Amino acid sequence: MKKIFKLLLLVTLFISCGKEKESEKQTTIPKENKLIYTQSSESVTLHPHEATDVYSRRIISNIFDRLIETDENLKIVPGLAESWEQLSPTELKFNLRKGVKFQNGDELTSEDVKYTLENAKKSSKVGTLYSAIDSIETPDKYTAIIKTSAPSGSLIHHLTHITASILNKNYYESTKDVNHAPMGTGAYSLVEWKPGSYMTLKRNDEYFRGKPAIEIIEVRGIPEENSRVIAIETGEHHITGDIDSIGRKILRDRKDIRVEEISSLGVGYLGINTEKGALQNKNVRKAIAMGINRDIIIESVLSGAVEKANSILGPGVVGYSKETAPFEYNPEEAKKLLEDSGYKDLSLTLVTSNNELRKQMAEIIQAQLKDIGIDVKIEILEWAAFLSATGTGKSDLFMLGWSNSSGDADYGIGSVLHSSMKGSSGNRSFFDNPTFDALLDKGKVELDPIKRSELYAQAQNIMNEEVPVLPIYFMPASAGIREEVKGFVQSPINNPTFYKLSF
């Protein structure tokens, strides 16, 4: 009888363990066909012509499509246009796909292309990318011909950018608050947005590339990396972008999570408001650059896992110069420059968003600048408030990252430092240098790649000499992905492509 009891007990335990293991497996599979994606800040706008930040851009890229796209290898590939050809140095013809529908059922036509690019050109934030466009002809429903005022070496790259996302003309002409109610042809449409909490996207069953496998994408902005890491460890969330050194250490040895990381086109930098008080003096800006030990920042905050930057352009950007060089750490020379400039004791405010990595960098910069006689007060703002403070010129110094999502120097450097882009348009340093501007203007229209590179190299040298920004490190593009998520590929542009994902 005892033997029978023991046998029954073993069978019961075996069954219980089996059920427990089965239950454990089920916890990694979503109860509904929903994927939760997190990033370090939430989106600010979903209007392509208003977005200047990566967190908005990532979502816009999934709600809209462009005439042409950039793939994971930075190669230009067909999008809403099935083909294109250069008719002349100033004429670019696009042949649209037939039967593509917007999320409200309207068919995409060449009139939508014309409306989109004409309005993009008028935008104070992104208009510089499309300033070369003179007119857009629509000879028929599926043909758009872009005519430029002069040959343009950068326009083809700009047309892959999210700011060239094609809008539904009828919808945007008749709808209010389109910043929070987008309408595109993309794989997902917005169904709910609760600022400060989450955003819900629903798949477009009629998407021209095919019905996405995942029905619902929930997007959350969570500044604390530790919170995002814990949520992906427990299976509460499925993908988190913006993995930094701490997250990499925690996640890299787990079998149920993989970390994908490659070099991006982005740069983390310190911005300096060149129109503010003592910062108008170039020698003061040079002193700040020489008072900061970028190697220590990289080693202590980023575990030495990134490369020190020499430009606002990343190495993969067309026009990047590896020869240009910022001022290096030299505290004694920094003190002398301040003293000679009459600013022996200086108080400045450094603003940063509530990004943990940038907060740590700000604290190191604060300590280093104190050693050369500059007292720095740190202000930590949520993302929208940070963009407002830096865009209106209220800040002295600011911590920011710039991700060049077109892969071309015209966008990569012009949007951040050309005088026409002062303020919230992108030039938060309020930098104004006619020689610098002239080089960028020439680079925009130059077709010869060697000559273009020479022009941008000169511009980068002026940038490093005048110090409107201090490049700190080349940002990696990274994400943590749970094992049950298939199809995720980390791209240098750092936009997730939701329609390729499945469980």
Side-chain angles (χ1 to χ4, degrees):
M1 190 71 181
K2 286 182 178 179
K3 288 183 179 179
I4 294 173
F5 176 76
K6 286 181 179 178
L7 181 62
L8 287 172
L9 181 61
L10 286 170
V11 170
T12 303
L13 286 171
F14 177 78
I15 293 171
S16 299
C17 290
K19 285 182 178 178
E20 187 175 330
K21 286 181 180 177
E22 184 180 337
S23 175
E24 285 175 4
K25 286 182 180 178
Q26 288 176 346
T27 60
T28 65
I29 300 172
K31 295 178 181 178
E32 56 182 317
N33 192 4
K34 180 173 81 171
L35 179 143
I36 299 179
Y37 172 84
T38 63
Q39 53 184 356
S40 56
S41 289
E42 64 177 328
S43 303
V44 178
T45 176
L46 292 181
H47 194 308
H49 301 165
E50 295 294 321
T52 59
D53 66 295
V54 65
Y55 310 110
S56 299
R57 187 188 77 207
R58 288 171 176 165
I59 312 309
I60 289 171
S61 68
N62 286 281
I63 294 175
F64 296 86
D65 296 290
R66 280 61 49 196
L67 290 171
I68 49 180
E69 308 278 1
T70 305
D71 68 10
E72 290 89 352
N73 300 311
L74 302 180
K75 180 183 176 182
I76 296 176
V77 296
L80 293 175
E82 59 185 4
S83 64
W84 64 95
E85 59 181 312
Q86 193 84 46
L87 300 178
S88 75
T90 58
E91 291 179 297
L92 193 54
K93 177 184 176 182
F94 290 92
N95 302 305
L96 305 185
R97 298 179 190 271
K98 297 177 182 178
V100 175
K101 300 290 182 67
F102 285 98
Q103 290 141 359
N104 64 354
D106 292 349
E107 185 183 12
L108 167 78
T109 73
S110 56
E111 288 300 321
D112 298 304
V113 175
K114 179 179 173 68
Y115 171 81
T116 296
L117 296 180
E118 285 178 346
N119 280 276
K121 183 178 178 179
K122 297 174 188 174
S123 167
S124 62
K125 294 186 176 179
V126 305
T128 185
L129 302 184
Y130 310 102
S131 59
I133 296 176
D134 188 47
S135 63
I136 301 159
E137 294 183 356
T138 54
D140 61 52
K141 195 174 179 181
Y142 303 111
T143 305
I145 300 173
I146 300 174
K147 294 189 173 184
T148 58
S149 53
S152 174
S154 58
L155 182 59
I156 194 73
H157 293 280
H158 295 335
L159 291 173
T160 69
H161 193 256
I162 65 103
T163 55
S165 297
I166 303 303
L167 310 177
N168 181 322
K169 177 183 177 182
N170 293 333
Y171 176 84
Y172 278 82
E173 285 184 332
S174 60
T175 305
K176 295 180 179 180
D177 193 27
V178 287
N179 286 9
H180 294 79
M183 179 60 64
T185 60
Y188 287 86
S189 59
L190 178 71
V191 293
E192 185 179 22
W193 186 357
K194 290 191 174 182
S197 185
Y198 65 87
M199 180 187 295
T200 303
L201 309 177
K202 186 173 183 179
R203 73 181 169 201
N204 175 4
D205 290 349
E206 305 301 320
Y207 188 47
F208 75 91
R209 287 189 172 100
K211 180 180 175 180
I214 297 178
E215 182 180 5
I216 300 294
I217 304 286
E218 187 175 293
V219 181
R220 300 182 186 180
I222 302 175
E224 301 80 15
E225 185 186 16
N226 188 50
S227 298
R228 286 185 281 117
V229 167
I230 291 171
I232 199 171
E233 283 185 300
T234 61
E236 181 185 352
H237 300 164
H238 303 101
I239 301 175
T240 182
D242 312 316
I243 292 291
D244 293 318
S245 56
I246 297 173
R248 284 196 297 273
K249 288 179 181 178
I250 296 171
L251 299 177
R252 66 187 174 190
D253 295 327
R254 291 188 62 109
K255 293 181 180 179
D256 57 344
I257 298 167
R258 70 185 189 278
V259 175
E260 289 199 12
E261 182 175 61
I262 61 173
S263 296
S264 77
L265 304 180
V267 176
Y269 69 94
L270 173 74
I272 302 174
N273 187 341
T274 61
E275 287 189 347
K276 197 86 178 288
L279 298 176
Q280 296 175 73
N281 187 314
K282 182 175 77 171
N283 283 335
V284 173
R285 301 197 298 270
K286 285 173 64 174
I288 290 171
M290 290 181 175
I292 295 173
N293 190 329
R294 296 178 294 148
D295 293 307
I296 286 180
I297 294 173
I298 290 169
E299 190 59 41
S300 58
V301 179
L302 298 156
S303 302
V306 298
E307 185 182 349
K308 185 164 64 173
N310 67 326
S311 173
I312 200 71
L313 302 179
V317 176
V318 175
Y320 163 75
S321 170
K322 65 179 181 180
E323 306 300 331
T324 192
F327 291 105
E328 289 294 346
Y329 181 57
N330 189 336
E332 295 308 314
E333 180 63 21
K335 292 175 185 176
K336 186 175 184 303
L337 283 170
L338 288 174
E339 189 172 348
D340 291 347
S341 302
Y343 293 103
K344 195 172 182 180
D345 295 303
L346 185 61
S347 295
L348 299 173
T349 299
L350 190 162
V351 300
T352 182
S353 64
N354 51 2
N355 175 294
E356 192 61 38
L357 191 71
R358 290 178 190 159
K359 286 192 284 186
Q360 291 176 37
M361 289 184 182
E363 289 168 358
I364 293 174
I365 289 172
Q366 179 187 48
Q368 291 179 343
L369 292 184
K370 187 176 182 62
D371 288 342
I372 65 168
I374 300 177
D375 182 57
V376 175
K377 176 187 176 185
I378 297 173
E379 287 187 4
I380 299 170
L381 306 173
E382 59 89 18
W383 184 239
F386 171 83
L387 292 178
S388 175
T390 55
T392 54
K394 293 179 181 178
S395 59
D396 297 319
L397 309 172
F398 56 93
M399 298 298 305
L400 196 53
W402 174 236
S403 182
N404 180 356
S405 51
S406 79
D408 188 82
D410 179 41
Y411 178 65
I413 194 168
S415 295
V416 183
L417 293 172
H418 195 286
S419 64
S420 66
M421 302 297 288
K422 283 183 183 180
S424 59
S425 296
N427 182 355
R428 299 172 190 276
S429 297
F430 293 83
F431 185 53
D432 192 338
N433 184 294
T435 304
F436 178 85
D437 284 354
L439 290 167
L440 298 188
D441 294 341
K442 289 177 183 177
K444 182 189 287 284
V445 299
E446 179 58 60
L447 294 180
D448 185 313
I450 295 176
K451 291 180 180 178
R452 284 193 88 213
S453 294
E454 290 172 351
L455 291 166
Y456 288 124
Q458 292 177 54
Q460 288 164 81
N461 287 340
I462 291 174
M463 177 200 80
N464 281 326
E465 174 63 31
E466 295 292 326
V467 208
V469 298
L470 176 65
I472 298 176
Y473 70 104
F474 292 126
M475 296 191 301
S478 60
I481 309 103
R482 287 200 58 83
E483 63 176 347
E484 62 268 24
V485 178
K486 309 302 179 185
F488 183 92
V489 177
Q490 181 63 64
S491 77
I493 291 177
N494 211 3
N495 289 345
T497 306
F498 293 146
Y499 86 86
K500 293 184 178 180
L501 304 181
S502 63
F503 287 116

